Amino acid sequence: MQSQRRAAAPRHVGIIMDGNGRWATRRGLARAQGHEAGMHAVRRTAEAAANAGVQTLTLFAFSSANWKRPAGEVSNLMRLFRVYLRADLQRLKQSGVRLSIIGRRDRLGEDLTLQIDQAEAATAQGRALHLRVAIDYSARDCIARAAAAAQATPERMGALIARAAGPEGEGLEEVDLLIRTGGEKRLSDFLLWEAAYAELWFTDRMWPDFGAEDLNAALAEFSARNRTFGMVPDEPRPAAAVA
Ligand code: FPP
């Protein structure tokens, strides 16, 4: 059980990156161009998170429900993930970013899974930021697989769910701050267990426009919040009680 603490700085931030399609449509562009712009926002945000001292950043890039999108959009997104891994691997390594992909691997295709394995191995020593990208990810699927794996207590479930999400789950902090862009206010099957006590922060900003300024605004608001973890709020005691 975590003890009550003032929300100083989030160690683990999760982001539901929403709004790529609408960002593109509003500009008369193809949805694919929205996703492309979203990739630049991923780069900006990871850099800003490392600069702000965030230890772990988990980005929701492709949910297991996203397979229901038109085949052309799905294959374009898979191509974009391969582009990202190829283009950014050296930079991630140089900046000390450890990259992990969470979610199912068995439906991703050989090329992408191979690139993921290589990128994870190449960045495994990174200590500046742990960047986790969720691809073919469903929190419910992780919970169901973890529950099937063992006689589960709530404490043990956390470790099992982290392991069900990917091989790097050992010792992972729960989510402190969960951000969603694009104006919707839903969790959409993202980190349901890990974000049980996360502070939520929603913005109308479309993901491709998101950057350091937005992340820092979310971090500042997080710092001002009082986290109680189900306990009594941490308020100054009245003078009579102090005496
Ligand atoms: C949600 O916006 C976004 C996605 C389903 C894809 C996320 C992908 C990226 C940010 C691009 C690349 C990512 C990496 C990690 C390299 P949406 O398409 O649902 O937007 P809409 O709600 O406006 O239609």
CSV table of all heavy atoms in Angstrom, one decimal, residues 106-133:
chain,number,residue,atom,x,y,z
A,106,ASP,N,2.2,-11.1,-31.1
A,106,ASP,CA,1.9,-12.2,-32.0
A,106,ASP,C,1.2,-11.8,-33.3
A,106,ASP,O,1.1,-12.5,-34.2
A,106,ASP,CB,1.2,-13.4,-31.3
A,106,ASP,CG,-0.1,-13.0,-30.7
A,106,ASP,OD1,0.0,-12.0,-30.0
A,106,ASP,OD2,-1.1,-13.6,-30.9
A,107,ARG,N,0.6,-10.6,-33.3
A,107,ARG,CA,-0.2,-10.1,-34.5
A,107,ARG,C,0.5,-9.0,-35.2
A,107,ARG,O,-0.1,-8.4,-36.1
A,107,ARG,CB,-1.6,-9.7,-34.0
A,107,ARG,CG,-2.3,-10.8,-33.3
A,107,ARG,CD,-3.8,-10.5,-33.0
A,107,ARG,NE,-4.0,-9.5,-32.0
A,107,ARG,CZ,-5.1,-9.2,-31.4
A,107,ARG,NH1,-6.2,-9.9,-31.8
A,107,ARG,NH2,-5.3,-8.3,-30.5
A,108,LEU,N,1.8,-8.7,-34.9
A,108,LEU,CA,2.4,-7.5,-35.4
A,108,LEU,C,3.2,-7.7,-36.7
A,108,LEU,O,3.5,-6.7,-37.4
A,108,LEU,CB,3.4,-6.9,-34.4
A,108,LEU,CG,2.8,-6.4,-33.1
A,108,LEU,CD1,3.8,-5.7,-32.2
A,108,LEU,CD2,1.6,-5.4,-33.4
A,109,GLY,N,3.5,-8.9,-37.0
A,109,GLY,CA,4.3,-9.1,-38.3
A,109,GLY,C,5.7,-9.3,-37.9
A,109,GLY,O,6.2,-8.6,-37.0
A,110,GLU,N,6.4,-10.1,-38.7
A,110,GLU,CA,7.8,-10.4,-38.4
A,110,GLU,C,8.8,-9.3,-38.4
A,110,GLU,O,9.6,-9.1,-37.5
A,110,GLU,CB,8.2,-11.5,-39.5
A,110,GLU,CG,9.1,-12.6,-38.9
A,110,GLU,CD,9.4,-13.6,-39.9
A,110,GLU,OE1,8.5,-14.2,-40.5
A,110,GLU,OE2,10.6,-13.8,-40.1
A,111,ASP,N,8.6,-8.4,-39.4
A,111,ASP,CA,9.5,-7.3,-39.6
A,111,ASP,C,9.5,-6.4,-38.3
A,111,ASP,O,10.5,-6.0,-37.8
A,111,ASP,CB,9.2,-6.4,-40.8
A,111,ASP,CG,9.6,-7.1,-42.1
A,111,ASP,OD1,10.2,-8.2,-42.0
A,111,ASP,OD2,9.3,-6.5,-43.1
A,112,LEU,N,8.3,-6.0,-37.9
A,112,LEU,CA,8.1,-5.1,-36.8
A,112,LEU,C,8.6,-5.8,-35.5
A,112,LEU,O,9.3,-5.2,-34.7
A,112,LEU,CB,6.6,-4.7,-36.7
A,112,LEU,CG,6.3,-3.7,-35.6
A,112,LEU,CD1,7.2,-2.5,-35.6
A,112,LEU,CD2,4.8,-3.3,-35.6
A,113,THR,N,8.2,-7.1,-35.3
A,113,THR,CA,8.7,-7.7,-34.0
A,113,THR,C,10.2,-7.8,-34.0
A,113,THR,O,10.8,-7.6,-32.9
A,113,THR,CB,8.0,-9.1,-33.8
A,113,THR,OG1,8.0,-9.8,-35.1
A,113,THR,CG2,6.6,-9.0,-33.3
A,114,LEU,N,10.8,-8.1,-35.1
A,114,LEU,CA,12.2,-8.1,-35.1
A,114,LEU,C,12.8,-6.8,-34.8
A,114,LEU,O,13.8,-6.7,-34.0
A,114,LEU,CB,12.7,-8.6,-36.5
A,114,LEU,CG,14.2,-9.0,-36.7
A,114,LEU,CD1,14.5,-10.2,-35.8
A,114,LEU,CD2,14.5,-9.2,-38.1
A,115,GLN,N,12.3,-5.7,-35.4
A,115,GLN,CA,12.8,-4.4,-35.1
A,115,GLN,C,12.6,-4.0,-33.6
A,115,GLN,O,13.4,-3.4,-33.0
A,115,GLN,CB,12.1,-3.4,-35.9
A,115,GLN,CG,12.7,-3.1,-37.3
A,115,GLN,CD,12.0,-2.0,-38.0
A,115,GLN,OE1,11.1,-2.3,-38.7
A,115,GLN,NE2,12.5,-0.8,-37.9
A,116,ILE,N,11.5,-4.4,-33.1
A,116,ILE,CA,11.2,-4.2,-31.6
A,116,ILE,C,12.2,-4.9,-30.8
A,116,ILE,O,12.8,-4.3,-29.9
A,116,ILE,CB,9.8,-4.7,-31.3
A,116,ILE,CG1,8.7,-3.8,-31.9
A,116,ILE,CG2,9.6,-4.7,-29.7
A,116,ILE,CD1,7.3,-4.3,-31.8
A,117,ASP,N,12.5,-6.2,-31.1
A,117,ASP,CA,13.5,-6.9,-30.3
A,117,ASP,C,14.8,-6.2,-30.3
A,117,ASP,O,15.5,-6.0,-29.3
A,117,ASP,CB,13.6,-8.3,-30.8
A,117,ASP,CG,12.4,-9.2,-30.5
A,117,ASP,OD1,11.6,-8.8,-29.7
A,117,ASP,OD2,12.3,-10.3,-31.2
A,118,GLN,N,15.2,-5.8,-31.5
A,118,GLN,CA,16.5,-5.1,-31.7
A,118,GLN,C,16.6,-3.8,-30.9
A,118,GLN,O,17.5,-3.5,-30.3
A,118,GLN,CB,16.8,-4.9,-33.2
A,118,GLN,CG,17.1,-6.2,-33.9
A,118,GLN,CD,17.2,-6.1,-35.4
A,118,GLN,OE1,16.7,-5.1,-36.0
A,118,GLN,NE2,17.7,-7.1,-36.1
A,119,ALA,N,15.5,-3.0,-31.1
A,119,ALA,CA,15.5,-1.7,-30.4
A,119,ALA,C,15.5,-1.9,-28.9
A,119,ALA,O,16.2,-1.1,-28.2
A,119,ALA,CB,14.2,-0.9,-30.8
A,120,GLU,N,14.8,-2.8,-28.4
A,120,GLU,CA,14.8,-3.0,-26.9
A,120,GLU,C,16.1,-3.5,-26.4
A,120,GLU,O,16.6,-3.0,-25.4
A,120,GLU,CB,13.7,-4.1,-26.6
A,120,GLU,CG,12.3,-3.5,-26.7
A,120,GLU,CD,11.2,-4.5,-26.3
A,120,GLU,OE1,11.4,-5.7,-26.4
A,120,GLU,OE2,10.1,-4.1,-25.9
A,121,ALA,N,16.8,-4.4,-27.2
A,121,ALA,CA,18.1,-4.8,-26.8
A,121,ALA,C,19.1,-3.7,-26.9
A,121,ALA,O,19.9,-3.5,-26.0
A,121,ALA,CB,18.5,-6.0,-27.7
A,122,ALA,N,19.0,-2.9,-27.9
A,122,ALA,CA,20.0,-1.8,-28.1
A,122,ALA,C,19.9,-0.7,-27.1
A,122,ALA,O,20.8,0.0,-26.8
A,122,ALA,CB,19.8,-1.2,-29.5
A,123,THR,N,18.7,-0.5,-26.5
A,123,THR,CA,18.5,0.6,-25.6
A,123,THR,C,18.3,0.2,-24.2
A,123,THR,O,18.0,1.0,-23.3
A,123,THR,CB,17.2,1.4,-26.0
A,123,THR,OG1,16.1,0.6,-25.9
A,123,THR,CG2,17.3,2.0,-27.4
A,124,ALA,N,18.5,-1.1,-23.9
A,124,ALA,CA,18.3,-1.7,-22.6
A,124,ALA,C,19.0,-1.0,-21.5
A,124,ALA,O,18.6,-1.0,-20.3
A,124,ALA,CB,18.6,-3.2,-22.6
A,125,GLN,N,20.2,-0.4,-21.8
A,125,GLN,CA,21.0,0.3,-20.7
A,125,GLN,C,20.5,1.7,-20.4
A,125,GLN,O,21.1,2.3,-19.5
A,125,GLN,CB,22.5,0.2,-21.1
A,125,GLN,CG,23.0,-1.2,-21.3
A,125,GLN,CD,22.7,-2.1,-20.2
A,125,GLN,OE1,22.7,-1.8,-19.0
A,125,GLN,NE2,22.3,-3.4,-20.5
A,126,GLY,N,19.6,2.2,-21.2
A,126,GLY,CA,19.2,3.6,-21.1
A,126,GLY,C,18.6,3.9,-19.7
A,126,GLY,O,17.8,3.2,-19.2
A,127,ARG,N,19.1,5.0,-19.1
A,127,ARG,CA,18.6,5.4,-17.7
A,127,ARG,C,17.9,6.8,-17.7
A,127,ARG,O,17.4,7.1,-16.6
A,127,ARG,CB,19.8,5.4,-16.7
A,127,ARG,CG,20.4,4.0,-16.5
A,127,ARG,CD,19.4,3.0,-15.7
A,127,ARG,NE,19.9,1.7,-15.6
A,127,ARG,CZ,19.6,0.7,-16.5
A,127,ARG,NH1,18.8,1.0,-17.5
A,127,ARG,NH2,20.0,-0.5,-16.4
A,128,ALA,N,18.0,7.5,-18.8
A,128,ALA,CA,17.4,8.9,-18.7
A,128,ALA,C,15.9,8.9,-18.7
A,128,ALA,O,15.3,9.7,-18.1
A,128,ALA,CB,17.9,9.7,-19.9
A,129,LEU,N,15.3,7.9,-19.4
A,129,LEU,CA,13.8,7.8,-19.5
A,129,LEU,C,13.5,6.4,-19.9
A,129,LEU,O,14.2,5.9,-20.8
A,129,LEU,CB,13.3,8.8,-20.5
A,129,LEU,CG,11.8,8.7,-20.8
A,129,LEU,CD1,11.0,9.3,-19.6
A,129,LEU,CD2,11.4,9.5,-22.1
A,130,HIS,N,12.5,5.8,-19.3
A,130,HIS,CA,12.0,4.6,-19.8
A,130,HIS,C,10.7,4.9,-20.7
A,130,HIS,O,9.7,5.3,-20.1
A,130,HIS,CB,11.6,3.7,-18.6
A,130,HIS,CG,11.2,2.3,-19.1
A,130,HIS,ND1,10.8,1.3,-18.2
A,130,HIS,CD2,11.3,1.7,-20.3
A,130,HIS,CE1,10.5,0.2,-18.8
A,130,HIS,NE2,10.8,0.4,-20.1
A,131,LEU,N,10.9,4.8,-22.0
A,131,LEU,CA,9.8,5.1,-22.9
A,131,LEU,C,9.1,3.8,-23.3
A,131,LEU,O,9.7,2.9,-23.9
A,131,LEU,CB,10.3,5.8,-24.1
A,131,LEU,CG,9.3,6.1,-25.3
A,131,LEU,CD1,8.2,7.0,-24.8
A,131,LEU,CD2,10.0,6.7,-26.5
A,132,ARG,N,7.8,3.7,-22.9
A,132,ARG,CA,7.1,2.4,-23.2
A,132,ARG,C,6.0,2.8,-24.2
A,132,ARG,O,5.2,3.7,-24.0
A,132,ARG,CB,6.4,1.9,-21.9
A,132,ARG,CG,7.4,1.6,-20.8
A,132,ARG,CD,6.9,0.7,-19.7
A,132,ARG,NE,5.5,1.0,-19.4
A,132,ARG,CZ,4.6,0.1,-18.9
A,132,ARG,NH1,5.0,-1.1,-18.8
A,132,ARG,NH2,3.4,0.5,-18.6
A,133,VAL,N,6.0,2.1,-25.3
A,133,VAL,CA,5.0,2.4,-26.4
A,133,VAL,C,4.1,1.2,-26.4
A,133,VAL,O,4.5,0.1,-26.6
A,133,VAL,CB,5.7,2.7,-27.7
A,133,VAL,CG1,4.6,2.9,-28.8
A,133,VAL,CG2,6.6,3.9,-27.6
